[in-house]
C-alpha cells in the first residue's frame, strides 16, 4: 500500500522535516504514527496525500511514485484515500449530508447512489439523524465524525488521519479510534497520526515513532528490497 | 455497524451513468451558481447593475444609430432623379420613354414634364415672361422625373442614375447626392464610434466580471482546498465559477436591455412629434428579437470569458498546504 524508501523532506527554508525515513504499510494493515510535536508526522501524511513531495528518496502508493506523478493525475490518486484532519475541514455553508456526499458528487455518482452511500456512512459514525443539520450546530466530536464519514463514504483503500482526537476528551477519543479499528477490520488500510500514547497502547496496533524527522521505532515489517 | 468496505475493485458508476451524472453535475453547478447569486444579493445586484449600465451605453447608441439609419434610408428614397432629354426628342417618344422607365425595377414612378409646360411654369414663376416671349424657340428640353423605390439604398440609386445617364435619349441625368453622401459618411463614422465604444465597454465588463469572480474565488478559498483534497479535478472546481460569470453577464445584459427600452420610452414622445413635423412615415425602432438574442448571448459569453480569465489566473494557484 505505502512504501517509503529513504524519504527526506526538506521544506523551503531548508528545514528537514523527515530524514531517511523507511517504512512499509501493507494492504489492509493498520498502524499509529507517533512522535513529539514537530517530529514530522503531518509531513509524512502530506507526502502520502500528495500535498507535499519528497525531496529525496522514493514514496510509493500502490507502486505509484508520488514524486513523479503528473499534476492532472493527482485528483484521481486522492480518490483512493480518505483523509481526516484534526480541524475537520468541513464546509460550514452546507448541511451535514452535503458535506459527507462531497467525494461522491466529485466523482460523478448519481443522486440515488449518493443518498444511499451517504446515509450508510452517516449511520456508521452514528449521525444518521443529523443529515439535515448544519455542521456549526454540532459538537466537536460530532464534527469530527462528519469528517470521518466524508473520508469513508467513497470506500477508499486507505484512511489517513492526522491527530483526529486532538481536541476531544478521552471517552470521545476512544470512540473515534474504535471507528478506525472497525474500518481496519473490514480490510481498509489505516494510518493514524496521534500522540495519545495511552490510547494507542490500549489498541495494540503497530506503532511508528518519529523523532526529529527520523524514524526511531518501527513495528511494521522492514521494507522489502531495501539496501542501506 | 461497519459499512462493507473492500480493497478490491470498487463498484464505480458505469460509463453511461457517468455521462448522465456529468450532465446532471453541469446542470447542478449552473443552478447552484444561480443559488449562490441569490444568497448573496447585495454584491450580485451591484455587479449586475454595473454590468447592465455599462452595456446599456453601447446598446443605447446602437438603437439610436439604427433609428438614424432608418431615417436616412427614408430620406434617400425620397430623392428623385431628373432626366433632361435631348432637344431633338419629340414629345411622343419622350412620353413613351417615361412610361417605359416607370416599369423598370427600382423605380417607383415617373413624372413627365413636357418642354411646353416647363416653359409655361417658368414663365409664370420667374417673372421673365416678357423676355421669354422674345425667344424664337423654346430652349427647355422635355424632362422626366424618376422616383426610385422606397427601399433603395444609395448603391441602388447610384446604379440607377448611371443606367439612366447611359440612355441615348438622355442628355443629362441629375441627382443631388452631395448632402446624402455627407449624411452617409457621418453615419459611417458614427457606426465605427459605436464599434469602438462597444469594444471598450465589453472590455470593461470583462474586467468587472473578472474582478467579481476573483473575489468569489478568494471567499471560497477553504472550499476549494477541501474539494481539491477530496480529489476534485480542476475542471470540477472551475465549473461553478464559470457558470457564475455566465449568470452575471446574462443578467447584466437583461438589465442593459431594460435600461435602453426605458430610455426609448422616455424619448419616444418627442421623437414621435418630430416625426409628424417632418411628415415622415418612419416607425421608430428599438431592439428586434434578433438584436435581443445577440445582446444576451454576447453579454453571457462576455461573462463566461471574464470569469474564465479570473479562474485561469487564480484558481490553479490554490493548492492545499
Ligand atoms: N510548509 C512548511 N514550511 C517549512 N517548515 C515546515 C512546513 N510544514 C512543517 N514544517 C516544519 O516541519 C517540522 C515538522 O512538521 P510537522 O510534520 O507538521 O510535524 P508534526 O505533525 O509531527 O507536529 C516542524 O518543525 C515544522 O515547523
Ligand atoms: Mg501535525
Amino acid at each position: 500500500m505505502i512504501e517509503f524508501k529513504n524519504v527526506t523532506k526538506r521544506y523551503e527554508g531548508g528545514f528537514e522535516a523527515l530524514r531517511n525515513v523507511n517504512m512499509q504499510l501493507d494492504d489492509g494493515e493498520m498502524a499509529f504514527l507517533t512522535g513529539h510535536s514537530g517530529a514530522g508526522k503531518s509531513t509524512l501524511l502530506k507526502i502520502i496525500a500528495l500535498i507535499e513531495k519528497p525531496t529525496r528518496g522514493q514514496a510509493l502508493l500502490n507502486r505509484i511514485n508520488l514524486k513523479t506523478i503528473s499534476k492532472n493525475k493527482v485528483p484521481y490518486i486522492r480518490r483512493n484515500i480518505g483523509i481526516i484532519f484534526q480541524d475537520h475541514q468541513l464546509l460550514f455553508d452546507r448541511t451535514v449530508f452535503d458535506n459527507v456526499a462531497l467525494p461522491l458528487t466529485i466523482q460523478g455518482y448519481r443522486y440515488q447512489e449518493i443518498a444511499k452511500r451517504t446515509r450508510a456512512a452517516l449511520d456508521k459514525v452514528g449521525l444518521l439523524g443529523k443529515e439535515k443539520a448544519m455542521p456549526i450546530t454540532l459538537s466537536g466530536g460530532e464534527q469530527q465524525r462528519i469528517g470521518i464519514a466524508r473520508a469513508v463514504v467513497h470506500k477508499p483503500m486507505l484512511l489517513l488521519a492526522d491527530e483526529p482526537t486532538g481536541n476531544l476528551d478521552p471517552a470521545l477519543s476512544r470512540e473515534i479510534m474504535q471507528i478506525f479499528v472497525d474500518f481496519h477490520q473490514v480490510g481498509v488500510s489505516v494510518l493514524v497520526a496521534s500522540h495519545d500514547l495511552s490510547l494507542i497502547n490500549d489498541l495494540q496496533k503497530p506503532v511508528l515513532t518519529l523523532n526529529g524527522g527520523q524514524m526511531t521505532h518501527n513495528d511494521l515489517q522492514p521494507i522489502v528490497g531495501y539496501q542501506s | 455497524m461497519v459499512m462493507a468496505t473492500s480493497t478490491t475493485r470498487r463498484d464505480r458508476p458505469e460509463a453511461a451513468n457517468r455521462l448522465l451524472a456529468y450532465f446532471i453535475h453541469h446542470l447542478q453547478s449552473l443552478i447552484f451558481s444561480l443559488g449562490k447569486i441569490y444568497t448573496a444579493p447585495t454584491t450580485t445586484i451591484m455587479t449586475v447593475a454595473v454590468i447592465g449600465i455599462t452595456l446599456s451605453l453601447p446598446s443605447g447608441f446602437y438603437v439610436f444609430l439604427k433609428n438614424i439609419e432608418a431615417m436616412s434610408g427614408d430620406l434617400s428614397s425620397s430623392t428623385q432623379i431628373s432626366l433632361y432629354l435631348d432637344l431633338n426628342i419629340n414629345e411622343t417618344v419622350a412620353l413613351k420613354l417615361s412610361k417605359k422607365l416607370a416599369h423598370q425595377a427600382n423605380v417607383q414612378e415617373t413624372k413627365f414634364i413636357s418642354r411646353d409646360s416647363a416653359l409655361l411654369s417658368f414663365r409664370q414663376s420667374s417673372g421673365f415672361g416678357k423676355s421669354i416671349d422674345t425667344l424664337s424657340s423654346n430652349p427647355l428640353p422635355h424632362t422626366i422625373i424618376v422616383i426610385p423605390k422606397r427601399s433603395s439604398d444609395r448603391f441602388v440609386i447610384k446604379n440607377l442614375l448611371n443606367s439612366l445617364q447611359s440612355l441615348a435619349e438622355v442628355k443629362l441625368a441629375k441627382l443631388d447626392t452631395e448632402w446624402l453622401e455627407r449624411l452617409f459618411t457621418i453615419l459611417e463614422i458614427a457606426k465605427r464610434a459605436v464599434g469602438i465604444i462597444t469594444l471598450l465597454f465589453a472590455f470593461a465588463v470583462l474586467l468587472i466580471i473578472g474582478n467579481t469572480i476573483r473575489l468569489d474565488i478568494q471567499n471560497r478559498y477553504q472550499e476549494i482546498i477541501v474539494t481539491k483534497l477530496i480529489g476534485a479535478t480542476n475542471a470540477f472546481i472551475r465549473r461553478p465559477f464559470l457558470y457564475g460569470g455566465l449568470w452575471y453577464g446574462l443578467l447584466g445584459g437583461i438589465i442593459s436591455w431594460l435600461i435602453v427600452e426605458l430610455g426609448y420610452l422616455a424619448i419616444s414622445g418627442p421623437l414621435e412629434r418630430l416625426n409628424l413635423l417632418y411628415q415622415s412615415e418612419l416607425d421608430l425602432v428599438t431592439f428586434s428579437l434578433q438584436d435581443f438574442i445577440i445582446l444576451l448571448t454576447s453579454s453571457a459569453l462576455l461573462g463566461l470569458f471574464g470569469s474564465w480569465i479570473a479562474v485561469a489566473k487564480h484558481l490553479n494557484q490554490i493548492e492545499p498546504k
Side-chain angles (χ1 to χ4, degrees):
Chain A
M1 176 64 47
I2 304 168
E3 280 176 84
F4 272 48
K5 297 179 187 172
N6 279 321
V7 170
T8 294
K9 173 66 194 180
R10 189 197 305 264
Y11 279 114
E12 258 165 56
F15 186 83
E16 277 193 0
L18 291 178
R19 245 179 275 166
N20 287 318
V21 170
N22 291 291
M23 64 159 285
Q24 175 175 336
L25 184 81
D26 282 342
D27 289 359
E29 256 187 319
M30 174 169 185
F32 285 107
L33 183 61
T34 66
H36 60 90
S37 175
K41 304 183 293 294
S42 296
T43 303
L44 191 146
L45 294 183
K46 280 177 184 172
I47 287 174
I48 302 168
L50 286 151
I51 298 167
E52 295 287 354
K53 291 205 165 180
T55 317
R56 267 182 279 122
Q58 254 193 346
L60 306 177
L61 177 68
N62 283 333
R63 309 230 149 65
I64 298 163
N65 191 330
L66 298 177
K67 191 173 176 179
T68 52
I69 189 95
S70 75
K71 221 179 158 188
N72 56 352
K73 293 225 176 68
V74 167
Y76 301 99
I77 305 286
R78 282 191 182 139
R79 290 176 190 185
N80 297 311
I81 312 172
I83 312 171
I84 293 129
F85 310 88
Q86 183 178 351
D87 56 355
H88 326 317
Q89 301 268 23
L90 301 177
L91 301 179
F92 287 101
D93 61 342
R94 300 184 195 197
T95 61
V96 168
F97 181 94
D98 286 347
N99 267 279
V100 175
L102 205 55
L104 301 176
T105 316
I106 283 166
Q107 294 187 39
Y109 282 81
R110 297 186 66 173
Y111 182 75
Q112 291 90 328
E113 192 66 18
I114 290 177
K116 204 176 86 191
R117 290 183 184 223
T118 303
R119 294 219 177 83
L122 281 170
D123 191 21
K124 192 127 19 338
V125 298
L127 284 177
L128 194 50
K130 307 264 179 162
E131 54 180 275
K132 291 205 177 70
M134 297 307 271
I136 201 79
T137 63
L138 303 182
S139 71
E142 286 172 321
Q143 289 186 6
Q144 188 56 286
R145 282 188 276 163
I146 300 169
I148 295 172
R150 187 183 63 189
V152 300
V153 72
H154 58 299
K155 300 181 184 173
M157 303 181 257
L158 171 66
L159 271 183
L160 300 177
D162 194 357
E163 313 212 17
T165 63
N167 299 327
L168 305 176
D169 64 50
L172 271 176
S173 298
R174 191 167 295 272
E175 256 179 53
I176 297 286
M177 285 301 188
Q178 189 55 47
I179 296 175
F180 291 126
V181 173
D182 291 342
F183 278 109
H184 165 238
Q185 275 166 3
V186 293
V188 183
S189 313
V190 182
L191 185 59
V192 181
S194 171
H195 50 237
D196 193 342
L197 290 175
S198 63
L199 187 55
I200 290 171
N201 277 338
D202 287 357
L203 290 167
Q204 306 213 318
K205 298 287 179 212
V207 172
L208 305 165
T209 308
L210 281 169
N211 192 331
Q214 284 180 306
M215 197 157 280
T216 53
H217 176 91
N218 188 341
D219 284 337
L220 296 168
Q221 63 194 82
I223 82 160
V224 184
Y226 161 64
Q227 307 113 17
S228 65
Chain B
M1 192 217 170
V2 164
M3 115 172 28
T5 316
S6 81
T7 49
T8 55
R9 248 197 95 64
R10 293 158 317 136
D11 39 338
R12 292 179 157 274
E14 76 233 42
N17 276 353
R18 288 211 143 209
L19 194 68
L20 185 68
Y22 178 79
F23 283 118
I24 289 173
H25 174 69
H26 267 272
L27 203 67
Q28 278 170 345
S29 340
L30 192 69
I31 295 162
F32 182 71
S33 53
L34 186 65
K36 282 265 159 193
I37 280 176
Y38 182 74
T39 50
T42 340
T43 25
T44 306
I45 289 170
M46 295 275 276
T47 307
V48 167
V50 170
I51 294 166
I53 291 165
T54 310
L55 284 176
S56 70
L57 212 82
S59 34
F61 267 127
Y62 168 77
V63 167
F64 183 67
L65 206 62
K66 211 172 136 170
N67 279 301
I68 299 285
E69 215 170 9
M71 220 181 281
S72 70
D74 197 52
L75 288 173
S76 71
S77 62
S78 68
T79 51
Q80 52 186 41
I81 300 168
S82 305
L83 303 180
Y84 303 104
L85 304 184
D86 246 33
L87 278 173
N88 53 27
I89 303 279
N90 69 39
E91 187 159 342
T92 354
V93 174
L95 202 62
K96 226 167 154 185
L97 179 66
S98 173
K99 287 203 173 121
K100 196 180 102 192
L101 289 178
H103 291 108
Q104 203 172 303
N106 299 326
V107 173
Q108 180 74 33
E109 57 173 325
T110 58
K111 282 179 209 151
F112 176 70
I113 303 164
S114 73
R115 49 194 305 193
D116 296 339
S117 63
L119 189 67
L120 202 68
S121 64
F122 186 62
R123 189 207 302 271
Q124 282 164 357
S125 61
S126 66
F128 289 119
K130 285 269 164 53
S131 37
I132 284 169
D133 285 340
T134 63
L135 291 172
S136 58
S137 68
N138 182 355
L140 298 175
H142 294 303
T143 306
I144 301 171
I145 307 292
V146 177
I147 297 164
K149 281 233 165 79
R150 285 202 136 255
S151 59
S152 311
D153 62 27
R154 59 181 171 142
F155 298 106
V156 173
I157 292 169
K158 263 258 159 75
N159 283 339
L160 183 63
L161 182 71
N162 288 339
S163 76
L164 292 174
Q165 178 69 78
S166 62
L167 291 173
E169 299 89 336
V170 174
K171 180 133 196 187
L172 179 69
K174 200 161 176 289
L175 167 76
D176 184 16
T177 55
E178 228 170 76
W179 69 273
L180 253 188
E181 285 294 339
R182 232 175 274 150
L183 179 70
F184 280 119
T185 314
I186 290 169
L187 265 182
E188 200 56 49
I189 292 168
K191 263 191 205 167
R192 291 205 185 171
V194 169
I196 292 166
I197 289 171
T198 307
L199 273 181
L200 277 176
F201 281 71
F203 189 62
V205 168
L206 228 51
L207 292 180
I208 295 164
I209 291 178
N211 195 46
T212 309
I213 298 294
R214 183 181 64 83
L215 292 174
D216 203 14
I217 289 172
Q218 273 172 16
N219 287 338
R220 288 159 73 183
Y221 183 85
Q222 193 58 22
E223 183 181 338
I224 294 167
I225 297 275
V226 169
T227 41
K228 274 204 178 180
L229 275 175
I230 284 169
T233 57
N234 280 339
F236 180 93
I237 295 170
R238 207 180 294 140
R239 224 166 279 147
F241 293 107
L242 293 183
Y243 282 133
L246 189 86
W247 282 118
Y248 283 135
L250 188 68
L251 294 176
I254 291 172
I255 299 273
S256 81
W257 171 73
L258 282 175
I259 290 173
V260 173
E261 290 288 331
L262 285 176
Y264 170 78
L265 270 183
I267 61 167
S268 66
L271 268 182
E272 212 70 62
R273 250 173 283 138
L274 188 76
N275 223 357
L276 277 177
L277 281 177
Y278 281 86
Q279 295 182 321
S280 145
E281 295 163 39
L282 187 66
D283 282 325
L284 291 170
V285 288
T286 55
F287 291 112
S288 63
L289 180 66
Q290 196 190 354
D291 293 333
F292 180 71
I293 289 167
I294 288 172
L295 173 67
L296 292 199
T297 313
S298 43
S299 62
L301 286 178
L302 267 181
L304 191 64
F305 189 49
S307 58
W308 185 78
I309 292 171
V311 161
K313 198 156 170 261
H314 302 285
L315 203 56
N316 295 342
Q317 291 171 358
I318 300 177
E319 285 294 340
K321 275 275 152 241

